[in-house]
Amino acid sequence: MDATLPNRPAVKYKDLREYLDLLESKRLLHRITASVDPHLEIGAIAARSLERKGPALWFENVKGYEGMPFVTNIISTTQQLGATFDTEPNEEAIHERVVDGMDRRIPSVTLPTGPCKEVVIGAADVDIDLIPTPLWHEHDGGRYLGTTAGIVTRDPVTGFLNMGAYRVMIKDKKTLSLSGGLRGRNASSGPGGGDHVLENEARNQPTPVAIVMGMDPLLTLANGSPVRPSDDGSMEYEAAGGWRGAPTELVKCETSDLLVPAHAEMVIEGIIPPHARTEEGPHGESTGFYGENKMAFVVEITCITHRRNPVTYGLICQRVEDYPRQLLRSGSLQSRIIQKTGFTNIRQVYFPEVGRHGMLIVSAKIRDKEDPRRIMNGIWEDSGERWRWIIVVDEDCNVRDWDEVMWRVVSAADPDHDVFPGKIHNAPKRNRGEVDFDPPRRGMGIDATMRFKDAKFPPVNKVSEPIMAKVVARWKEYGLP
């Protein structure tokens, strides 16, 4: 890991509050002063605003929680993400920053204390209803804290920390359910928090957990990304540091040895007792369906620390949500696929929002006629992921431009020679009690490349990358938006 990243100044904010100020200064945030109900109304407002590619939303007057602000939709647009990563507001620049920061992580630093400990609430006084928590979807089984929260646990085998985005539902004022983080020790992104719980259970030991609310957006993005594990224990904190251009500052929890972001708005500390289970859900998911778990883990809250006048941040989970999966996970995925398959000629890996975990678009410098098929097979067999549909295009294709990708499919893919049945994956492993959508087990591969094919293609009518790079560098000089 690099302690500093050359030629990269740190981003222009230190925490969620400063980031919201930055968005407001750029007119990318809207304050709603009207009274809003956390029961379904906030969720519906967030959903409609996302569909309209609206601004970040700051609710000043949440019914039942007067004076306690709630924010959502803060990393949902390219303009917002340009502010998040301190780049130009375009997907290419953001993608480059994601990949670079993931590859050049910065070690975190531990402080004696931090803003997240301005108020400390002991176990006897815990009441999780102290902050506004919406009922997001009409068929949800309860109110969910865990839509942007980071769930921090420690690996009982390696001792390394892990942070992941899992479902966390309120059961009562001192008890939560937790569902997720069950990937297996050999998963490409390493074991998750749920795996840590099961391994502790095998020893009849409880699992300390910290639920971190209101993190800065880079930590929120790292939290939801499949950060590949490293030998030195670097994880989501260090990836966020790589993007930030400065170390993530951490503090030790009050009731465990877990380390949490010092500038978070709130930290909920707890214990997951071994072998305890509870019903969780349903909850609307990004698959476009509802999911639930009849045997979710139980979290007993032991302590809450928070900043004075905490700002609560949450999102509505749906197919399009306040999280740029297509950018963040494509960036982390690209490095992992190249590492796993050995195909260093891959230039970009992207999965479109519409495909979620089922489709990949891969651009590569094609070396011979069989190369596209080898790339598909390598991803299906060696990547450790359940990708079903794969489209391979030449390196000059913009993989984030769906129109261009489809133009290449219809122009260059012969169904008799360039379309192949995909790998038949095993049925998804469901842990006892989980009820979730299971997609079809097989997709297909499409070779939409033009080099080395029997058909002869004229030159592609497209501005070349070197010329376009010169124009992009002078874009502001032209006075264009």
Side-chain angles (χ1 to χ4, degrees), residues 32 51 76 111 125 143 154 165 167 205 224 236 242 308 320 323 395 403 426 477:
I32 297 176
E51 292 170 359
S76 60
L111 308 180
D125 299 316
R143 294 176 298 134
R154 188 179 292 279
R167 294 199 301 251
Q205 294 178 348
E236 290 79 10
R308 295 185 184 91
V320 178
Y323 181 85
E395 62 181 320
D403 287 341
N426 294 327
E477 183 182 344

Side-chain angles (χ1 to χ4, degrees), residues 7 95 147 151 163 173 176 185 246 306 316 335 470 477:
N7 303 318
H95 175 80
T147 58
I151 315 303
M163 180 169 69
K173 66 181 183 179
L176 310 170
R185 184 153 293 278
H306 64 81
I316 183 167
S335 299
K470 292 179 182 179
E477 183 182 344

